Amino acid sequence: MKKILTLVFVSALGGMLTLGTYKMFLENNDALVITKTESTPTNFIPTSHISNLNAVNYAPDFTMAAENTVHSVVHVKNTSIVSGQMTYKDLFYGRSSARPQVGTGSGVIISPDGYIITNNHVINNSQELTVTLNDNREYDAKIIGSDDKTDIALLKIETDEDLPYTTFGDSDQAKLGEWVLAVGNPFNLTSTVTAGIISAKSRDLTGQSNQSFIQTDAAVNPGNSGGALVNTNGDLIGINTAISSQTGSYIGYSFAVPSNIARKVIEDIMEYGNVQNGILGVTGGALNNSFAEKLNIADTEGFYVDNVEDGSGAEVAGIQQGDIIKKIDHVKITKFADLRGHLNTKRPDDVVNITILRDGDLKTLPVTLIKNQTFTMPLVGVIKNTEKKDLKKFDLDNGVKIVRLNNEYAQYWKQNGIMEGTIITAINAQKVNSIEDVQNILKAKSPNEPLQIEMINARGEKERYNFR
């Protein structure tokens, strides 16, 4: 019995020692960790923890797009006659100094019956045009029409069989960073394919707000002009047109006319024989930080309306001076090239939805585009088609009206009684009824030919001015 009590006592003592040790050391240490842990504030840097393993294993496949495009891209050879400097041999033998000059570029077949789209500068001043297909067959080509403003031209070749062609895509749907292929036929090497991404949209290289290029880093060289810019489906989203380079060769910046603009130009040429341009009827400028500060407004993006043309669709729709155009249809306006690019896809009488910001409120107004009725005439200024009341005032049956004098020559004109409202009735002895007549006369005039302008001054007197 004594041994049993001793065993119980030893067991109890051992248990108490174990429990005491746990309480003193282990449990206290846990409490210490909990009570002494403090959170130290740090700067938060956003970090992605998404694995990139899939991106490493993924490579874009361009084979289908290339196969669908290379056979529809052609080589264009332009033979023109240029006048060189006369030599003593030319004078002695009575020869002309004119010499043939050959230029080359690319083009894209857009229909099975042989319509080809290219750049205007590729076929400009041509005496003879030859098109070489990717299988080395050659055809003579004729010019159906061209537009130097967008640098687009339409050619036609005659063939007895259907040709491979590229279909137009929607350039408005093209995204920054999207893979694209530039397909051209430079140096008559047969079709050549290069790849890159869309670097920017709505680029204006001149600063005159009349361009809206797609910028890409796909390698494009001078012989690629007029070639195709296609997406990975092989859809035509642009016509390669220009490069930005100090050397004249590719350095990473190339530019293409968006397919929506090119397609509209081609459709106009085929249907009307010329390009039909629809205008809003507003003037102003794209907003930026300095412009916004000058106007004392908070917005730094959009197109600020400084003036609304009388009788224009913008005036009829209710657009006012001081409005800020933020959107046209589905296109956000951050610079004027965004607005210009979308309008270049429209015709007179088309309706566009203009979203404006006025007094802090957004409004969307449907605007019917009108045909351009103004033209900036060299030496004179801005001229406009006349209305019946303008002609009736001076008992005239034809003419165009000066609406704003050229700043450089305004003082000269005013000293001679020529003001805003003066009617121009003839240029180089040819009657003018519209600004199109003026444009055609000036376009046909040779650089060395003098310019004669017949006007009716404010007193109703006919005057002629000659310029050399």
Side-chain angles (χ1 to χ4, degrees), residues 342-398:
H342 192 69
L343 289 174
N344 281 345
T345 67
K346 302 298 179 181
R347 299 181 178 90
D349 298 325
D350 284 350
V351 178
V352 294
N353 291 311
I354 303 294
T355 301
I356 60 170
L357 181 67
R358 181 188 298 167
D359 299 327
D361 295 325
L362 288 173
K363 297 182 179 181
T364 299
L365 304 173
V367 178
T368 301
L369 303 180
I370 64 170
K371 190 173 183 179
N372 183 25
Q373 300 185 57
T374 63
F375 170 66
T376 302
M377 183 177 174
L379 303 175
V380 176
V382 179
I383 60 175
K384 181 181 180 180
N385 289 337
T386 53
E387 299 177 9
K388 289 183 179 180
K389 61 181 181 180
D390 300 318
L391 298 176
K392 187 176 181 181
K393 181 179 178 181
F394 298 106
D395 195 23
L396 299 171
D397 56 11
N398 73 286

Side-chain angles (χ1 to χ4, degrees), residues 48-58:
S48 172
H49 298 287
I50 299 174
S51 172
N52 200 37
L53 291 177
N54 291 334
V56 173
N57 295 325
Y58 169 77

Side-chain angles (χ1 to χ4, degrees), residues 204 209 283-292 295 297 299-306 324-325 333-340:
D204 178 13
S209 302
T283 58
L287 289 172
N288 54 35
N289 189 64
S290 59
F291 192 18
L295 295 171
I297 58 178
D299 285 84
T300 58
E301 288 186 335
F303 181 82
Y304 181 83
V305 177
D306 187 55
I324 299 173
I325 298 177
I333 305 302
T334 60
K335 51 188 179 297
F336 185 69
D338 296 322
L339 185 62
R340 178 77 272 159

Side-chain angles (χ1 to χ4, degrees), residues 75-79 128-132 138-141:
H75 178 76
V76 180
K77 183 172 74 173
N78 171 0
T79 303
E128 180 183 338
L129 282 174
T130 304
V131 166
T132 305
E138 287 190 3
Y139 296 90
D140 291 333

Side-chain angles (χ1 to χ4, degrees), residues 171-464:
S171 54
D172 284 349
Q173 299 302 316
K175 306 296 183 185
L176 297 187
E178 178 181 345
W179 281 105
V180 289
L181 298 181
V183 187
N185 201 315
F187 320 120
N188 207 12
L189 295 174
T190 70
S191 292
T192 300
V193 180
T194 56
I197 62 169
I198 294 177
S199 306
K201 297 176 67 176
S202 302
R203 287 295 198 209
D204 178 13
L205 302 184
T206 66
Q208 298 176 358
S209 302
N210 57 7
Q211 297 175 332
S212 185
F213 288 128
I214 295 174
Q215 180 183 330
T216 173
D217 67 350
V220 170
N221 285 293
N224 286 87
S225 290
L229 186 72
V230 300
N231 58 23
T232 53
N233 295 323
D235 300 323
L236 185 67
I237 61 169
I239 299 298
N240 296 317
T241 298
I243 59 176
S244 178
S245 168
Q246 293 179 340
T247 64
S249 299
Y250 169 77
I251 59 169
Y253 301 97
S254 57
F255 303 89
V257 177
S259 62
N260 287 1
I261 294 176
R263 180 178 59 198
K264 185 260 183 184
V265 169
I266 294 306
E267 290 172 348
D268 282 355
I269 289 173
M270 296 177 74
E271 184 172 353
Y272 304 103
N274 55 33
V275 179
Q276 305 290 301
N277 293 313
I279 65 168
L280 276 177
V282 298
T283 58
L287 289 172
N288 54 35
N289 189 64
S290 59
F291 192 18
E293 287 183 358
K294 184 177 179 181
L295 295 171
N296 195 28
I297 58 178
D299 285 84
T300 58
E301 288 186 335
F303 181 82
Y304 181 83
V305 177
D306 187 55
N307 184 61
V308 181
E309 185 178 328
D310 292 340
S312 66
E315 184 192 43
V316 173
I319 294 179
Q320 302 174 6
Q321 180 184 14
D323 289 344
I324 299 173
I325 298 177
K326 304 294 286 185
K327 200 174 181 183
I328 176 170
D329 291 335
H330 58 279
V331 178
K332 181 182 177 183
I333 305 302
T334 60
K335 51 188 179 297
F336 185 69
D338 296 322
L339 185 62
R340 178 77 272 159
H342 192 69
L343 289 174
N344 281 345
T345 67
K346 302 298 179 181
R347 299 181 178 90
D349 298 325
D350 284 350
V351 178
V352 294
N353 291 311
I354 303 294
T355 301
I356 60 170
L357 181 67
R358 181 188 298 167
D359 299 327
D361 295 325
L362 288 173
K363 297 182 179 181
T364 299
L365 304 173
V367 178
T368 301
L369 303 180
I370 64 170
K371 190 173 183 179
N372 183 25
Q373 300 185 57
T374 63
F375 170 66
T376 302
M377 183 177 174
L379 303 175
V380 176
V382 179
I383 60 175
K384 181 181 180 180
N385 289 337
T386 53
E387 299 177 9
K388 289 183 179 180
K389 61 181 181 180
D390 300 318
L391 298 176
K392 187 176 181 181
K393 181 179 178 181
F394 298 106
D395 195 23
L396 299 171
D397 56 11
N398 73 286
V400 294
K401 180 172 66 173
I402 300 174
V403 293
R404 188 165 64 249
L405 292 171
N406 181 300
N407 290 333
E408 186 176 353
Y409 298 98
Q411 185 176 358
Y412 166 80
W413 288 121
K414 290 177 180 179
Q415 287 174 348
N416 285 273
I418 303 301
M419 307 288 181
E420 280 88 356
T422 294
I423 305 296
I424 298 175
T425 54
I427 297 175
N428 286 358
Q430 299 180 60
K431 286 187 175 182
V432 294
N433 295 284
S434 65
I435 61 171
E436 285 83 5
D437 291 342
V438 176
Q439 290 172 309
N440 292 333
I441 293 171
L442 294 179
K443 190 175 182 180
K445 187 182 81 69
S446 67
N448 298 324
E449 185 182 355
L451 177 66
Q452 184 188 78
I453 305 174
E454 182 181 286
M455 301 183 183
I456 305 298
N457 63 25
R459 298 182 297 274
E461 301 168 339
K462 182 183 294 185
E463 295 184 351
R464 291 185 179 91

